[in-house]
Amino acid sequence: MDTMEQSDEELMKAYQEGEEEAMSVIFRRYQKKIFNFALRFLGHRADAEDATADVFLSLMKSGTSYQPEAKFSTWLYTIARNACISRLRRRKNIFSLSFKKASEENSEWEIPDIKTPDEEAHQKDVAMQIKNAIQNLPVSQKETLILRGYHALSYEEISKITGHTLENVKVLIFRAREQLRQDLGSLLQEVQS
């Protein structure tokens, strides 16, 4: 079977059996997703690049211990989460989160393209308000919101990645959304007008 057609779990098994190309395929599949997760979590490109490198180095080192008990992507996001938290602890300063460009897949936080200079300035102001509101969320709320909103992971996957119970994940996301509604209330009213 062509390595590009193999499941992630099959690729990890092939890697464990010494097939180096399998890790290259996994890297190509997940590098952008892990980088985007790290960038949104850390808010700083250099840190996100370093965290992404850490994730794949860790994957290569611990790949032989991977047991397909959980979905591979869940396991990989857990490694990415831990790498990001390690970076946050080292840095001890949380920067604003990045947002998707309009060309990327839809997101409830995406801001549409605006043409005039006044509208463009307003768009930047709105984006900054949203970034600041998300930045001010507690880390546990922010990470669950990012995993759900930007990476469309299920509550179960988020629970496995973060180590929170399923109910706690739902509560964290609910509280994060409620806090954002509260913090961005005037902005939401403006958009609805």
Side-chain angles (χ1 to χ4, degrees), residues 76-87:
L76 189 60
Y77 275 110
T78 302
I79 294 170
R81 173 189 182 263
N82 292 338
C84 289
I85 288 173
S86 291
R87 292 237 163 245

Side-chain angles (χ1 to χ4, degrees), residues 37 40-42 81 85 88 94 97 108-109 130-151 153 155 158-159 161-165 167-183:
F37 169 76
R40 287 184 184 100
F41 196 95
L42 299 168
R81 173 189 182 263
I85 288 173
L88 281 178
I94 300 172
L97 297 171
E108 64 182 284
W109 307 109
I130 293 170
K131 286 180 182 181
N132 288 338
I134 292 174
Q135 175 185 341
N136 291 327
L137 290 172
V139 172
S140 58
Q141 288 180 12
K142 181 173 29 176
E143 73 181 346
T144 55
L145 186 69
I146 291 169
L147 289 168
R148 182 73 177 164
Y150 286 109
H151 296 279
L153 296 180
Y155 292 118
I158 296 169
S159 173
I161 291 167
T162 62
H164 297 297
T165 65
E167 274 307 305
N168 198 13
V169 166
K170 291 176 182 178
V171 169
L172 287 168
I173 292 171
F174 174 79
R175 287 183 180 159
R177 288 177 177 162
E178 286 302 306
Q179 187 63 48
L180 290 177
R181 280 188 194 97
Q182 187 177 19
D183 293 348

Side-chain angles (χ1 to χ4, degrees), residues 1-7 10-11 14 19 21-22 25-26 28-29:
M1 179 186 290
D2 181 23
T3 55
M4 292 303 290
E5 296 174 11
Q6 289 179 304
S7 72
E10 290 169 331
L11 287 168
E19 193 177 316
E21 176 61 21
V25 173
I26 288 172
R28 287 191 298 273
R29 281 184 188 173

